[in-house]
Each structure stands twice: as C-alpha cells, then as structure tokens.
Amino acid sequence: MTTANLVSIADLSNDEIEEIFDLADASDKLRSKKVGHGKIMATLFYEPSTRTRLSFESSMQRLGGTVISCSDMQASSAAKGESVADTAKVVSSYADVLVVRHYWDGAVQAVAEHADVQVINAGDGGHEHPSQTLCDLYTLRKEKGELKGLNVVICGDLKNGRTIHSLVYALARFGANVVTLAANGMELPHYVLERLEREFQYTLAPVASDDLSAVVTETDAFYLTPKQPHQLALFTALDSTIQTRITSLVSGLRYDAFYMTRKQKERMPNSAAAGDYPIIGSKFLREHRFKDTVVMHPLPRVDELSPELDKDRRGIYFKQAAYGVPIRMALLHFLFEKGRRARISKTANSSVLFESPHPIGPHCPNLKCITVNEPGSTRLRFELQSEGPSGALILRCLYCDHRFKAQLVGQATSKKYCAYDIALADSIARWLKNGELAIFDSIKQAEELGYGPYKSGPRRAIMDQAEVDSAIQQISAQILSDCADPDRLLIVGVKTNGSMIAQRIATHLERAQKRKFELAELETYGAGEDLRRVFPADPELGPIQLRDRSIILVDDVIHTGRTVKTALSIIFRSGRPQSVRLAVLLDRGHRQIPVKPNYVGKHIPTADHERVRVHLRELEPDGVDKVLVYSIISPGENRS
Ligand code: CP
C-alpha cells in the first residue's frame, strides 16, 4: 500500500506545500505536458459538493487523465450497506487515485487503510479538509506575499467547520496568528486547541474583542499565537496587569484576512442549528482599519456574506474557489510523481502507538467518528500521550484526533487489570513494548475478556460521610458570603465527581436563598468538549451565556492543577465570564501549575506516590461518602 496519501494537512511538510504552490504557479505547463495521461481518478462523494469534486475532476482532465465519478454514493452500493473498507478495496482496482468525501470524522483514514492506491481526503465529517487548506493558503500567499506573521480572523462555525481545523494547523505551522471569532456555541474544539498547544506551542489569550464584535458579531475573540501570555492568567480575572498586557498585544492589531464560514447545519441537532449567526456586510466594508483586510470563505455561503462584498476588491472568495483547479492539478501531479517520497505526518512518526491485543477495547468518545459508526472498517489503534510526570495517560484516536483518558489498563499475559496510575508508567512501557498492554473502557469490558483485578496497597480513610457533608456545606456558605450578585452565579462541576459536588453546593445555596441557581458541567477529556447545561434542563435554551457571569468551578481533588487548566480552557472558549473561582473538596498539593483554589474543604498532606479517591454516595453501590488514601503496588510485585 502506498503511503503517499493526503488525509490530513499534517501529511505534507511546509516545504512540500511550497512545492505544490510552485507547481500550481506552473499549472499551464502541467496541462500542456499532459502529466496525468493514462491515470484514472475515482471521486467517491458520500456528501454533496460543487467545488471540491468538480475542481478535482477538471484538474484531472486538464492533466490528461480520466475520471470515474460517484457524485452521490446513495446511488452506489453504499446504499445497500457496503462498507467503506470494501468500497475502498474494490474501487482501488478501477482507479489510480481515490478522492473521497464522507460524513463521518476519520472515514478517509479508514479508506486509506484499505485502498491499494493513493487516497485524497475531500472532507471527512467535521474533522479535516486538507485540499481546501491548500487553496486557502495559496490564496493568502498570493494576496499577502507570505504567511508568517499574518493575522487571520476565523469566524463563524469553528466547531463543525472541517476547513477551519485543517487551516488553523497550517497557519500555525507557517507562523501566522489566529483570532477566533466563533458563533455562540460553535467554538474551536478542545482537541484542536490542545494540538495547537502541544505541537506548535500556540496558546490562547482572550483579547478585548469589542472592536471586532461591533462589526461582526457579539461573541468574544481569542488570539492564538506562539509564546504569548496564557489564558490561565484569566483565572484571576481581576489581575489588571495581565489584562492590560493582553489588550496592548492586540490594540492596533492589523487584520490581514477574515476567513468566514457557514453554519454547518447538517452536523447539528435542530435546536443548535437555530439562533443568531455572524454576518460580514457593509459595516465591515466602511471601517477604515479593514481597508486591507481580505475576506475569504471556502463556500458555499448562505447568509453570512453580504453580496455587497462581491463587488469589493477585498472579497476574494470566488478567486479562492477558482484556485481550486491549479492547486488540485499541482496536488495530483505532486502525489503521482513524487508521492513515494512524500513524508508521513510528523505526528505519526514520532508518536507511541497502541493497538489493542483484543478485538474489543477502548472506544473513541466522538460519536461522529468512523470507529464508532463503522467499526468493521477500522482498527482499535490510538496514539498514547502522557500528560506530564504525574499526569493522565491520554489516547488520541488515529482516525478523528479526539483525545480521552485511559481509565483501566491491563496486562494481557497475567490477565490482570487495574485503574491507570502514573506509578504504573514503567510497567505500562514494558507491556506496550511486548504487545501485552490492554486498555479498557470499563471493568465489565475487562472482565468479559477474562481479566481480574490487581490488588492495591493498604487504604486509610481520611474523611467519612459527615466530614464530606460538613466540608461541602462550609464551601457553600463561603461562596454565598462572597457572592455580590446571585443572579450572575453559575456553578460548573468537572465531571464526574466535581459535577456531583457542584449539585450539592447548588442545593445548599438554593436552601439558603430560596431560589434556584444555574448549574453546568464539563468534561476535561472525552466527548464532552463543551460546557453542558445541567439546570435548567431545557434543550431549547441553547448555549449557556457566560458574559459577565461569576463562575464557581467545582472539582473533588486538586493535585497538579492540569485538570483545572483544561477546565478553564473549555470555559473561556465558551465566552468571557467576569470571574472564575475554584472550589475543591480536597487540596492534596503537588502542584505543577500555579493554581490556587478559592474554597477548600480540607487540605490533606499526601506523599507523591499516594493516591486519593473520593467516593460519593450518588455514584457508589453502598451509597456512602468516603475519602481514601492508598498506595499503588507495582503489578511486578503483585502477581496474585
Ligand atoms: N469548499 C468546499 O468544500 O465546497 P464544496 O462543498 O462545494 O466542495
């Protein structure tokens, strides 16, 4: 199987992208030389398209090649239930390259694993659209000279817009800055932000966005740039020094491009699809400071770009669509002629891969992932990432990029499992090397595969039910005494234990104030990338409004501070609250990030090797609260 596929923008290095741009500049030569003569391209589109399919087909024909097309896979045997894997295998016999669009995230990676010919991703669900990014970068470079240092505002549906995800990775690699201006509830997904931070050291800093929101939308803007003040600074919302630094960073900022996107209604439940959406129109055109700001859009547009822009020199989206042909001619030639030396993504090369030794194992939490919707076409493979010396073991889905925390690990030879803990790092590295590492979603899954539990060391109880109750009551009283305006209060629990404690705090406040308080929860890993409303539980209410709110973030234990950092990132992606205060049942120290909780039920001195587990009655079979401290016994010492 060839490796020269374009599934993600990460499959191309910056030099390779520049090479494709040079080829696009010389597309007339490619056309006259008929460099695609004898080649057949198959276009397999499981979703509608105008630009991507037709520009690929036009490109192939201009290169002298031919095209076989399934413009609507509902008219193919996919409608009878044929899998992506079988389709890829079969069509590989008919064509030299497959250009595939699919509605599931990661589906084109699955096609690439089963095809015997080269594969190009023409858009996979809400995940990536790398050939569109080549058109976007080429257009930007043509207009602005170079990409490094440009300030690009991305606007609209940043959550579901696959063009946006590929684009921000590429802009980061070329050293451009990004201002995000998301429609309410459609912020950049957390997994995208994490990757920007991990791979490109980009950090997210809130900016005084009123200048932008006045002309476009009511949402908050964030400035993504390497090595700038981190958003954690906002934890102390009253810290005017930090806010001033951030504001001066962007005051007078030159905006080189506005990249607008449509609301991706096809990827939303009906309730989310309704509501306001930003529009760029005459107000934007009249502002002097945008006189050199080009407006881009991957198209199709719906209502978000006023037709007034069509006649303005700054509206370059039709030019952007026209560049689809020279760019895709260049891409096809690049993959045909030079594909065998095209590198595989840097991430894939340097990453630690885990493949489950069993046919069942951990599941990607993204419900729109191909691994969830068509598991038969995929393999149980993940990239393993460790979050710092005391951190979690994270699995990144190799199909859709979503990340989640490993909870249970096992050893395939001894058939023993236990909760993941950093103390097991050496054992896990050894099991991985020997192909013996198993990871499970649940105890039920481990036991179905014949695994039994490892033993842990002696446990000591440090809080009983009465102490837990009294600590939560005391935290609730402090929150109330600090609360100047109960109408602005929003209590946010970190799932799962933090969420339960948040509900108990809300109940205490409700009793004291004789009124209900708004309650939300968030998940720092897994499918839950958004702030979710818990009370009032009315799906018609839409996204939670954070502007000017006083948030109480609640978790059970604070240790390294990393969970809080992630939780803050999720909150600030959803809006700009007035303040965030942190309430924890237990502070066990050993911080890696300078976060200080405002409300603490109990400080407990623990050794670094010790573990703390909070058992809450809502979640325990015995219905009793308790807090236990215990040590991990290395599985190497405990074969029983
Ligand atoms: N930009 C883009 O992907 O357009 P189509 O959906 O028309 O292919």
Side-chain angles (χ1 to χ4, degrees):
M1 188 197 295
T2 179
T3 56
N5 302 310
L6 180 63
V7 176
S8 160
I9 194 67
D11 292 333
L12 294 168
S13 69
N14 286 12
D15 285 348
E16 286 164 339
I17 291 174
E18 295 285 1
E19 195 179 333
I20 291 169
F21 290 170
D22 291 345
L23 286 166
D25 287 342
S27 61
D28 285 348
K29 274 196 195 139
L30 301 179
R31 186 174 185 173
S32 58
K33 283 189 187 165
K34 299 280 177 221
V35 296
H37 180 72
K39 298 276 189 192
I40 300 174
M41 177 177 79
T43 47
L44 307 177
F45 277 62
Y46 292 79
E47 274 192 343
S49 166
T50 298
R51 274 144 296 273
T52 312
R53 186 175 64 82
L54 294 178
S55 65
F56 261 116
E57 294 185 356
S58 168
S59 300
M60 190 59 175
Q61 291 182 11
R62 288 181 189 200
L63 293 176
T66 48
V67 176
I68 53 174
S69 183
C70 229
S71 58
D72 173 9
M73 289 301 282
Q74 273 308 308
S76 79
S77 287
K80 303 174 202 158
E82 187 163 32
S83 69
V84 156
D86 285 358
T87 306
K89 198 94 199 136
V90 169
V91 185
S92 291
S93 316
Y94 309 152
D96 302 291
V97 59
L98 313 184
V99 177
V100 186
R101 171 170 290 186
H102 201 285
Y103 39 83
W104 296 131
D105 301 357
V108 184
Q109 174 61 32
V111 171
E113 287 174 4
H114 293 276
D116 296 316
V117 295
Q118 288 168 285
V119 174
I120 299 174
N121 182 358
D124 59 328
H127 180 223
E128 282 213 47
H129 192 348
S131 73
Q132 176 66 46
T133 293
L134 293 177
C135 301
D136 301 340
L137 297 183
Y138 187 67
T139 310
L140 263 176
R141 205 189 62 162
K142 285 259 181 215
E143 291 293 320
K144 298 289 175 185
E146 69 168 331
L147 301 168
K148 190 171 168 55
L150 289 184
N151 293 318
V152 180
V153 183
I154 52 171
C155 189
D157 183 355
L158 311 185
K159 179 178 178 178
N160 302 294
R162 56 193 170 202
T163 65
I164 287 288
H165 305 156
S166 299
L167 180 64
V168 291
Y169 299 141
L171 288 173
R173 275 170 37 185
F174 279 96
N177 301 308
V178 181
V179 177
T180 73
L181 200 57
N184 212 353
M186 299 173 207
E187 293 78 17
L188 267 185
H190 196 61
Y191 78 89
V192 175
L193 288 170
E194 276 176 334
R195 184 159 163 197
L196 287 169
E197 184 177 336
R198 208 173 51 253
E199 290 184 24
F200 310 108
Q201 292 75 55
Y202 269 56
T203 54
L204 189 67
V207 301
S209 64
D210 294 348
D211 61 336
L212 285 180
S213 59
V215 288
V216 182
T217 179
E218 287 306 309
T219 62
D220 291 317
F222 295 90
Y223 190 63
L224 275 165
T225 187
K227 300 180 184 61
Q228 296 291 354
H230 194 275
Q231 62 163 357
L232 239 191
L234 272 193
F235 190 52
T236 49
L238 303 175
D239 188 337
S240 59
T241 323
I242 290 167
Q243 191 57 56
T244 308
R245 267 171 70 199
I246 293 169
T247 306
S248 67
L249 182 80
V250 292
S251 63
L253 191 72
R254 180 193 81 243
Y255 296 113
D256 296 292
F258 253 86
Y259 190 99
M260 191 68 185
T261 53
R262 100 189 137 87
K263 191 190 281 187
Q264 308 277 311
K265 284 187 179 165
E266 67 274 30
R267 309 204 196 285
M268 296 174 186
N270 286 342
S271 58
D276 291 342
Y277 198 77
I279 296 173
I280 298 190
S282 51
K283 207 169 175 186
F284 174 90
L285 289 176
R286 283 200 301 271
E287 293 259 346
H288 181 71
R289 67 206 156 120
F290 297 129
K291 69 180 175 34
D292 296 320
T293 308
V294 293
V295 178
M296 301 174 69
H297 194 303
L299 304 179
R301 69 173 146 184
V302 187
D303 299 320
E304 63 281 355
L305 284 184
S306 153
E308 277 177 275
L309 284 165
D310 297 1
K311 296 183 215 86
D312 192 280
R313 66 180 162 78
R314 288 164 289 180
I316 58 169
Y317 30 88
F318 291 122
K319 208 191 275 187
Q320 185 185 352
Y323 284 141
V325 172
I327 277 292
R328 289 180 171 116
M329 286 170 75
L331 173 65
L332 286 166
H333 178 60
F334 173 85
L335 291 180
F336 287 151
E337 294 301 308
K338 305 186 177 173
R340 295 209 175 268
R341 69 176 171 81
R343 36 174 229 127
I344 316 178
S345 100
K346 188 168 159 277
T347 315
N349 275 343
S350 58
S351 58
V352 180
L353 295 185
F354 161 72
E355 176 146 14
S356 176
H358 306 294
I360 59 172
H363 286 97
C364 175
N366 172 15
L367 297 179
K368 295 176 180 168
C369 179
I370 182 76
T371 60
V372 175
N373 293 285
E374 214 182 291
S377 291
T378 64
R379 289 155 64 187
L380 273 175
R381 288 193 313 145
F382 301 89
E383 181 188 351
L384 285 187
Q385 301 170 344
S386 183
E387 296 270 282
S390 313
L393 182 67
I394 308 297
L395 286 85
R396 179 181 74 86
C397 175
L398 290 178
Y399 294 85
C400 75
D401 282 326
H402 279 64
R403 299 165 87 234
F404 59 105
K405 220 192 269 191
Q407 305 284 1
L408 292 171
V409 294
Q411 208 262 4
T413 310
S414 66
K415 288 267 176 147
K416 294 286 183 198
Y417 73 84
C418 56
Y420 167 78
D421 193 283
I422 187 65
L424 301 169
D426 289 345
S427 299
I428 285 176
R430 199 170 55 250
W431 300 343
L432 184 66
K433 191 163 161 243
N434 298 337
E436 297 169 330
L437 176 64
I439 299 178
F440 308 108
D441 280 337
S442 62
I443 290 175
K444 185 167 171 279
Q445 194 182 65
E447 291 179 347
E448 271 172 16
L449 288 162
Y451 282 68
Y454 276 118
K455 283 183 184 164
S456 60
R459 293 161 183 252
R460 61 190 163 89
I462 54 162
M463 283 176 101
D464 61 19
Q465 178 137 326
E467 288 168 301
V468 170
D469 272 340
S470 144
I472 294 174
Q473 193 160 12
Q474 166 222 318
I475 289 172
S476 309
Q478 284 173 355
I479 290 171
L480 257 190
S481 82
D482 288 350
C483 176
D485 184 355
D487 285 339
R488 292 179 182 224
L489 206 62
L490 170 66
I491 305 161
V492 178
V494 178
K495 248 185 127 182
T496 308
N497 274 357
S499 197
M500 292 300 147
I501 297 171
Q503 290 186 36
R504 291 198 204 175
I505 290 173
T507 307
H508 282 296
L509 301 190
E510 189 184 320
R511 275 193 206 124
Q513 293 274 307
K514 309 274 181 287
R515 51 162 291 173
K516 296 268 191 193
F517 286 84
E518 204 172 352
L519 191 62
E521 66 180 9
L522 55 80
E523 215 172 337
T524 50
Y525 290 98
E529 292 182 330
D530 296 321
L531 209 51
R532 274 190 305 270
R533 192 187 293 280
V534 175
F535 179 83
D538 180 354
E540 297 302 316
L541 286 173
I544 302 170
Q545 301 300 324
L546 294 190
R547 189 177 284 268
D548 299 330
R549 302 298 296 272
S550 304
I551 292 183
I552 307 293
L553 178 65
V554 183
D555 204 359
D556 58 347
V557 183
I558 182 162
H559 182 205
T560 63
R562 286 176 182 278
T563 302
V564 174
K565 178 185 162 211
T566 307
L568 285 172
S569 166
I570 292 170
I571 288 171
F572 283 109
R573 266 192 303 117
S574 308
R576 285 270 293 283
Q578 186 189 50
S579 66
V580 182
R581 292 172 192 277
L582 177 64
V584 293
L585 181 63
L586 297 166
D587 183 349
R588 62 160 298 196
H590 307 284
R591 210 80 81 242
Q592 292 171 359
I593 291 171
V595 177
K596 195 166 179 294
N598 305 72
Y599 309 104
V600 180
K602 186 169 179 159
H603 292 272
I604 46 162
T606 55
D608 203 19
H609 70 272
E610 286 182 312
R611 306 295 129 201
V612 177
R613 289 278 177 268
V614 175
H615 298 256
L616 295 175
R617 54 181 177 258
E618 295 89 338
L619 305 168
E620 294 299 319
D622 61 4
V624 175
D625 292 334
K626 56 183 169 292
V627 179
L628 301 175
V629 176
Y630 62 98
S631 300
I632 288 280
I633 292 179
S634 163
E637 300 159 21
N638 174 19
R639 296 263 172 214
S640 64

